[in-house]
Amino acid sequence: MKNYEIPAQSGAQVDVDIQVTNGTWSFEHGVADSFVSHVRKSVPLYDHGHRMAAEIASCFTLPGGFAYELGCSTGELITKLANYNSRTKSVNWVGIDNSIEMVEKARESCKQFDNIEIILGDIVDYELQTCDYVVDFLTSQFLNKTTQLTLFSKIYNSLKERGAFFLYTKILQEDSFFQDLSSVMYNRFKISNGLSPSHVLSKSESVYGVIKPEPQHVMLNLLHEAGFQKILPIIRFLNFEGYLAVRV
């Protein structure tokens, strides 16, 4: 029998200024420099989701309160949260990220804000203090279900009564036909925003198995199991969905 060798993959472009190696996704190696531009091309409702996270923050945070963004990346969202209106400006905001390059970018972006602290750390291990509001914008989707449940339970236990958790994440369709259709439509979305077909393919290969989406009913069950009883799906575009979960 002939032995076939799989050729080693060379670096592949997932955007003009972002390259991945051997089909693996990483937030290091210069990704931070082009991260925001890339995400806007590849994440539906990116800016709308940011605005919604800030709107909800203004409803649930208390003057002088405390809030978190889990996976703050370059700090773009947390600066919007911390400067949205007089209510959110009075809140102490903490952003957490495990990428050194992202944290450096975020600290530079947030240096003029007295109410923002950026911490290098793992959101799974980090101990959250009592807070009013937590934002997870496309971060816990990199965790498996067991670890997500641990994180969601920790968030629930850290929230004050009537505190809120805003989660925006990638999901799977419940039906295989609609999953295939959503994949086609999502690829068209990215190409319409300036990514080439080869960029789209390389990105899909690089995040396969790294992002761990689940169907909506699984996400709702995880939130319920973590303790949340009031949960509202509030934003959706194809396979991207946002949830508001409130501790009562």
Side-chain angles (χ1 to χ4, degrees):
M1 180 180 293
K2 184 177 180 180
N3 292 323
Y4 290 91
E5 293 184 0
I6 299 175
Q9 292 176 300
S10 59
Q13 296 291 133
V14 300
D15 203 340
V16 175
D17 297 316
I18 300 178
Q19 185 178 69
V20 295
T21 304
N22 296 326
T24 58
W25 178 257
S26 169
F27 288 102
E28 302 290 351
H29 312 300
V31 170
D33 292 333
S34 304
F35 177 76
V36 173
S37 172
H38 175 71
V39 171
R40 277 201 169 88
K41 297 174 188 175
S42 57
V43 174
L45 304 179
Y46 180 74
D47 290 302
H48 184 69
H50 279 197
R51 180 177 176 84
M52 180 166 285
E55 286 280 5
I56 294 171
S58 69
C59 297
F60 286 93
T61 54
L62 299 175
F66 206 87
Y68 290 96
E69 185 195 356
L70 307 183
C72 62
S73 61
T74 62
E76 185 181 30
L77 175 53
I78 200 169
T79 56
K80 295 175 183 176
L81 295 167
N83 195 44
Y84 189 69
N85 60 23
S86 58
R87 173 73 71 87
T88 65
K89 287 179 181 179
S90 73
V91 175
N92 297 297
W93 292 89
V94 173
I96 306 167
D97 205 285
N98 65 356
S99 165
I100 294 175
E101 293 182 18
M102 291 292 189
V103 166
E104 289 175 349
K105 285 281 185 183
R107 285 174 176 167
E108 179 65 24
S109 299
C110 301
K111 64 183 180 181
Q112 72 270 33
F113 294 91
D114 295 332
N115 61 331
I116 299 178
E117 180 182 6
I118 304 297
I119 293 174
L120 176 65
D122 188 327
I123 61 172
V124 176
D125 299 327
Y126 188 84
E127 291 299 322
L128 303 177
Q129 69 180 63
T130 302
C131 58
D132 305 307
Y133 187 56
V134 178
V135 177
D136 169 358
F137 201 91
L138 300 174
T139 298
S140 62
Q141 64 180 8
F142 292 94
L143 307 175
N144 60 41
K145 283 196 298 183
T146 300
T147 309
Q148 278 186 316
L149 177 57
T150 299
L151 176 63
F152 294 168
S153 298
K154 180 166 62 175
I155 291 169
Y156 176 83
N157 290 327
S158 72
L159 287 170
K160 297 177 182 177
E161 184 178 347
R162 295 291 177 179
F165 174 37
F166 177 82
L167 169 67
Y168 191 59
T169 189
K170 189 174 184 180
I171 64 165
L172 295 175
Q173 300 293 340
E174 305 279 352
D175 179 89
S176 60
F177 172 82
F178 288 122
Q179 176 60 36
D180 286 343
L181 178 63
S182 293
S183 295
V184 170
M185 297 299 291
Y186 181 38
N187 287 339
R188 290 180 180 178
F189 166 85
K190 290 183 284 187
I191 291 171
S192 72
N193 283 335
L195 294 173
S196 70
S198 64
H199 289 159
V200 172
L201 177 60
S202 295
K203 177 65 178 292
S204 297
E205 290 181 348
S206 71
V207 299
Y208 186 80
V210 178
I211 294 177
K212 301 173 175 63
E214 299 286 351
Q216 184 193 74
H217 80 272
V218 173
M219 297 306 302
L220 292 173
N221 286 342
L222 285 172
L223 291 166
H224 278 298
E225 193 172 347
F228 292 101
Q229 297 304 309
K230 285 189 174 293
I231 304 167
L232 177 67
I234 54 173
I235 180 174
R236 184 167 186 174
F237 185 101
L238 297 174
N239 283 20
F240 289 81
E241 187 156 282
Y243 305 92
L244 173 63
V246 179
R247 177 169 183 171
V248 295

